[in-house]
Amino acid sequence: MTEREAEIIGLVHKEVKPALGCTEPIAVALAVAKAVETIRNNCCGSCPKYDGDLWRLGTGFRIRVEVSGNILKNGMGVGIPGTGMVGLHIAAALGAVCGKSEYSLEVLHDLDPASIARAKELVADGAVDIVMADTDRKLYVKATVEAASHDGCCPGKDLPGNRHKADAVIMDDHDRIVETVLDSNVLFTRPQEDPATGHGERSTLDYHLTVKEIYDFVNNVSYDDISFILESRTLNMALAREGLEGSYGLMVGKTIGNPANREVFGNEFMSYAMSLTAAASDARMAGCTLAAMSNSGSGNQGITVTMPVIAYAQKYQVDDCRLARALMLSHLVAIHIKGYLGKLSALCGCVIASTGSSCGLVYLRGGSYEQVCSAIKNMIGNITGMVCDGAKVGCALKVASGVSCSVQSALLALSGTCISEHDGIIEKDIEKTIRNLGRIGSVGMQATDTMILDIMSCK
């Protein structure tokens, strides 16, 4: 493996990882879990109450979570795994009662009926507050947990009101904890941000990827070095099967795949890909307890970027080596485009993810680099402008639309059809085209993002 190949694979490991539940409420649960652990793990040890469950302290235990507008938008209407409930309040409570920060985006991995019952009690007792944070960050969560101490707890410490108070802050990435504080003492903080990038660590753009380099990488890298990406198939196919067998959300995938509807949808690859992808989204957004393989901090994007490619491989018996290369292409194109947009924006992530899957389909059908670029341009010229109005069960409809466009764009590209640089935001240069999409989503749609949140908050 070359040094550059290792660097690109490291980026994939950073951006493609399992996530249990919609990642915005999961970020809230993760921050709360970290705050609870900060008290439990750093108390003086003389307090037997902290050997067990902090939330058993009744009225002495409170959770306050400050979130950015985009976290609030994506957490208001989405199902929380295993609870039959939606929203950030129950997510925060679950983070307190069963969350483990070591699990990262699978923070609720140890979810069980007893934890769900205790979390619901916390919410019913009014112990959880969710408020809008005063921040310009798109992705920001600050969890504050307060728990009653006892006489003689932590000798020498000034504990106002005989209470311990811990904060945990997540910023810029859904699992990027940047600070923990206990009783006004900072225990951990990330390095100061680099003014040039806005990140303490390398951002996606710092890798200076291009579509050409991505295409060459997937063709030349050793299969053994990228075979790990097939876990995307394992996780996301399990979600798709669950969505097809259960009755989740709007049942978009199940409806498309229903034999009774073949007169409308047919029984070919297009309908199969739409059905599998939407079914996985149906299950995930309605609170299924199975993890998705995410992309760029989004489970739905991870589903959309992979499932059409996986569906093609299943339909036409593609071997694992070629599938792994197609999945790497799909994931990396989405990561590359997402770098210009940021983790959260007013532009629906389905646009980016389905663009990635279109490239993967071109690859599986023997397409060239030029045809991959054509697929990207066809996608950007098609569904740019699809707005994100929060995470919810209705996302499965957008996912299905994205898959349809993905297949269409791939087939047009393979037949030599590419939207012209004279059309709209399309440029002759593929990297300029991608940057144009990024500008629209990150800058041009700012007012749209604010308006969507205003509408949702006033319902």
Side-chain angles (χ1 to χ4, degrees):
M1 186 193 307
T2 68
E3 183 177 344
R4 181 56 171 169
E5 286 174 346
E7 190 175 34
I8 293 172
I9 289 171
L11 173 62
V12 174
H13 281 301
K14 177 175 177 286
E15 298 294 342
V16 179
K17 59 186 73 172
L20 176 58
C22 178
T23 48
E24 281 71 54
I26 288 304
V28 167
L30 178 59
V32 172
K34 189 64 177 180
V36 167
E37 292 166 1
T38 298
I39 295 178
R40 181 183 290 121
N41 298 338
N42 295 282
C43 184
C44 65
S46 67
C47 183
K49 292 178 182 177
Y50 293 158
D51 291 338
D53 300 336
L54 298 186
W55 57 89
R56 293 190 184 280
L57 300 179
T59 57
F61 182 73
R62 293 202 60 82
I63 303 167
R64 174 184 168 88
V65 187
E66 300 171 48
V67 298
S68 57
N70 286 75
I71 293 286
L72 184 64
K73 180 180 75 172
N74 283 340
M76 290 172 65
V78 69
I80 306 303
T83 65
M85 299 175 67
V86 300
L88 298 179
H89 288 79
I90 187 65
L94 284 172
V97 302
C98 69
K100 290 185 179 178
S101 65
E102 65 192 84
Y103 294 154
S104 187
L105 295 180
E106 294 182 279
V107 60
L108 301 182
H109 181 272
D110 291 343
L111 187 72
D112 59 23
S115 300
I116 293 169
R118 290 197 293 266
K120 288 181 176 180
E121 287 176 10
L122 274 178
V123 174
D125 290 343
V128 182
D129 293 318
I130 306 291
V131 299
M132 184 84 80
D134 182 14
T135 179
D136 292 330
R137 301 277 182 176
K138 293 290 186 180
L139 200 166
Y140 178 89
V141 180
K142 179 181 179 181
T144 301
V145 169
E146 293 187 50
S149 62
H150 70 96
D151 293 339
C153 178
C154 298
K157 282 190 176 181
D158 180 20
L159 300 177
N162 293 321
R163 301 173 69 79
H164 279 295
K165 179 180 177 182
D167 300 328
V169 179
I170 287 176
M171 192 183 298
D172 296 333
D173 287 311
H174 293 81
D175 57 352
R176 183 172 179 263
I177 298 171
V178 299
E179 184 177 75
T180 58
V181 180
L182 177 63
D183 301 324
S184 301
N185 298 307
V186 176
L187 303 184
F188 166 79
T189 185
R190 290 270 183 182
Q192 188 68 30
E193 289 181 347
D194 180 349
T197 66
H199 292 262
E201 299 90 15
R202 294 179 73 181
S203 73
T204 302
L205 296 182
D206 294 332
Y207 289 79
H208 303 293
L209 284 173
T210 64
V211 177
K212 182 64 166 67
E213 183 180 28
I214 292 170
Y215 183 82
D216 289 342
F217 166 79
V218 300
N219 276 303
N220 297 317
V221 68
S222 167
Y223 167 65
D224 290 339
D225 292 332
I226 61 170
S227 60
F228 68 88
I229 204 67
L230 294 176
E231 190 183 355
S232 297
R233 176 179 60 185
T234 303
L235 293 184
N236 294 345
M237 268 303 301
L239 265 172
R241 292 191 188 100
E242 182 70 14
L244 291 173
E245 293 169 4
S247 298
Y248 289 95
L250 300 180
M251 296 186 287
V252 178
K254 195 170 185 176
T255 302
I256 294 172
N258 190 333
N261 294 325
R262 283 180 182 167
E263 183 180 353
V264 176
F265 292 109
N267 191 34
E268 301 305 319
F269 166 67
M270 170 84 85
S271 59
Y272 183 60
M274 290 173 65
S275 176
L276 282 183
T277 313
S281 180
D282 281 322
R284 181 172 177 274
M285 304 312 279
C288 174
T289 55
L290 296 176
M293 185 61 79
S294 67
N295 180 292
S296 303
S298 168
N300 253 7
Q301 288 175 52
I303 289 167
T304 307
V305 87
T306 59
M307 286 311 303
V309 179
I310 293 165
Y312 186 93
Q314 287 190 339
K315 197 81 170 174
Y316 301 106
Q317 293 80 52
V318 173
D319 65 80
D320 281 358
C321 178
R322 190 154 185 80
L323 174 60
R325 296 183 189 281
L327 287 173
M328 286 296 287
L329 176 62
S330 185
H331 274 298
L332 278 166
V333 167
I335 291 167
H336 176 44
I337 297 173
K338 191 70 173 175
Y340 290 98
L341 284 154
K343 295 294 182 182
L344 299 173
S345 72
L347 186 69
C348 177
C350 166
V351 175
I352 294 92
S354 53
T355 300
S357 66
S358 190
C359 296
L361 292 173
V362 168
Y363 184 87
L364 287 181
R365 291 178 65 91
S368 64
Y369 162 70
E370 288 76 18
Q371 288 168 325
V372 165
C373 292
S374 293
I376 295 172
K377 291 180 181 181
N378 290 342
M379 287 295 297
I380 292 176
N382 188 350
I383 57 174
T384 293
M386 182 186 288
V387 298
C388 171
D389 56 342
K392 58 205 176 301
V393 296
C395 288
L397 287 165
K398 295 184 179 182
V399 164
S401 297
V403 173
S404 174
C405 292
S406 172
V407 176
Q408 292 175 43
S409 294
L411 291 179
L412 287 169
L414 288 163
S415 69
T417 300
C418 178
I419 193 166
S420 165
E421 65 263 27
H422 303 295
D423 288 14
I425 64 170
I426 307 302
E427 303 258 8
K428 185 173 184 178
D429 180 84
I430 188 62
E431 299 304 327
K432 288 182 179 179
T433 302
I434 289 171
R435 286 196 293 272
N436 288 346
L437 175 66
R439 286 177 58 203
I440 288 172
S442 63
V443 180
M445 296 178 72
Q446 289 274 22
T448 301
D449 212 18
T450 302
M451 181 175 292
I452 289 170
L453 182 59
D454 287 344
I455 291 170
M456 292 175 64
S457 301
C458 294
K459 288 199 296 183

